[in-house]
């Protein structure tokens, strides 16, 4: 199985900040990586797929990069609605696996 | 816009079978372009993929659940289903159904349904 490890597990930031979350795969997954945002009590919302392609309707403040084993999600100019938990997911091979999540909190 | 809706009991007794259905709002379940998946999330924890099923009924299961898991699809009703047998408290979670374009990510999710395993 491909293990997905996110860092940090939690992150405190202020409105207006730029933050970066990393996701590392235990084996190479090419660009078969997606990022999701989840708010309390809600279903995950897809943000990015193919490591760097923005889902339709997602603001350009979100960006993704990487390939192989190392990936990043960057959120620029944080707004109150961006404070949530973020997950990466690999779909390169079965079983599909998720990172453990990064909780982004307001400082 | 595609909508997925989970349905089923919110409370299941230990050792019994958890059964959920996901209803799809459009005809994409009748194409071969998508897989239909289940993902769960225990309270306060992360996401765990349970399994996928294609419109033709081909299944892919999480190995940790294979012995207890069964998935099916009924394209005429635009539904797919999950059965998880011999449940324990560890199966308590919010269960999500989702759509996944072939060899791709989960692009649409249901709102989720909380299933509690308790006597």
């Amino acid at each position: 199985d491909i293990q997905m490890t996110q860092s940090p597990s939690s992150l405190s930031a202020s409105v207006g900040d730029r933050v970066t979350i990393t996701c590392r795969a235990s084996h190479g997954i090419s660009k078969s990586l997606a990022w999701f945002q989840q708010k309390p009590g809600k279903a995950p919302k897809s943000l990015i797929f193919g490591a760097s392609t923005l889902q339709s309707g997602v603001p350009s403040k979100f960006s993704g990069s990487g390939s192989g084993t190392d990936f990043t999600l960057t959120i620029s100019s944080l707004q109150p609605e961006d404070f949530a938990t973020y997950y990466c997911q690999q779909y390169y091979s079965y079983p599909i696996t998720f990172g453990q999540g990064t909780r982004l909190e307001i400082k | 816009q595609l909508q997925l809706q989970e349905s089923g009991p919110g409370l299941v007794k230990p050792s019994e079978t958890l059964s959920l259905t996901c209803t799809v709002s459009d005809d994409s379940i009748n194409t071969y372009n998508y897989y239909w998946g289940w993902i769960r999330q225990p309270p306060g924890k992360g996401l765990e993929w349970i399994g996928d099923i294609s419109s033709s009924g081909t299944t892919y299961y999480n190995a940790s659940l294979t012995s207890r898991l069964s998935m099916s699809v009924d394209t005429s009703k635009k539904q797919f289903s999950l059965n998880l047998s011999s449940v324990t408290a560890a199966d308590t979670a919010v269960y999500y159904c989702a759509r996944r374009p072939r060899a791709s990510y989960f692009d649409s999710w249901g709102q989720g349904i909380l299933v509690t395993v308790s006597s």
Side-chain angles (χ1 to χ4, degrees):
Chain A
D1 297 5
I2 298 175
Q3 308 300 318
M4 306 301 292
T5 303
Q6 288 181 232
S7 60
S9 296
S10 63
L11 176 60
S12 294
S14 300
V15 172
D17 284 354
R18 171 187 171 106
V19 297
T20 296
I21 298 168
T22 64
C23 180
R24 175 164 289 176
S26 61
H27 303 282
I29 60 170
S30 186
K31 290 193 169 189
S32 300
L33 184 103
W35 289 98
F36 297 89
Q37 176 193 66
Q38 187 179 35
K39 296 182 179 179
K42 300 295 186 181
K45 172 189 173 185
S46 59
L47 298 174
I48 287 169
F49 62 96
S52 60
T53 302
L54 221 56
Q55 176 80 20
S56 175
V58 173
S60 58
K61 63 189 304 180
F62 293 93
S63 63
S65 66
S67 67
T69 59
D70 295 310
F71 302 86
T72 61
L73 170 70
T74 299
I75 313 169
S76 62
S77 187
L78 281 171
Q79 296 302 305
E81 61 269 23
D82 301 327
F83 292 92
T85 300
Y86 293 84
Y87 293 93
C88 61
Q89 176 226 325
Q90 69 82 18
Y91 48 90
Y92 182 79
S93 67
Y94 284 114
I96 293 166
T97 47
F98 293 87
Q100 81 278 16
T102 295
R103 185 176 178 180
L104 177 57
E105 301 174 316
I106 298 178
K107 186 180 291 184
Chain B
Q1 183 177 353
L2 173 70
Q3 293 187 355
L4 299 101
Q5 180 68 58
E6 303 90 350
S7 59
L11 180 65
V12 180
K13 290 182 168 58
S15 79
E16 295 190 344
T17 296
L18 181 162
S19 297
L20 297 174
T21 296
C22 182
T23 301
V24 180
S25 65
D26 70 9
D27 287 328
S28 59
I29 198 169
N30 288 307
T31 75
Y32 291 99
N33 297 327
Y34 300 101
Y35 287 119
W36 304 90
W38 291 95
I39 303 100
R40 69 181 181 179
Q41 185 172 38
K45 296 188 177 180
L47 300 163
E48 179 185 30
W49 173 75
I50 298 172
D52 284 353
I53 187 167
S54 71
S55 58
S56 62
T58 302
T59 54
Y60 303 86
Y61 294 160
N62 187 320
S64 67
L65 299 170
T66 295
S67 62
R68 301 191 290 129
L69 183 61
S70 174
M71 295 175 62
S72 61
V73 62
D74 187 337
T75 56
S76 66
K77 293 182 178 180
K78 299 183 184 180
Q79 293 178 333
F80 60 104
S81 299
L82 163 76
N83 286 300
L84 185 65
S85 64
S86 304
V87 296
T88 70
D91 296 307
T92 294
V94 175
Y95 286 75
Y96 296 100
C97 62
R99 186 182 76 172
R100 192 167 83 86
R102 283 178 179 260
S104 190
Y105 69 112
F106 292 106
D107 68 348
S108 298
W109 295 63
Q111 64 184 24
I113 183 170
L114 174 62
V115 179
T116 301
V117 179
S118 175
S119 55

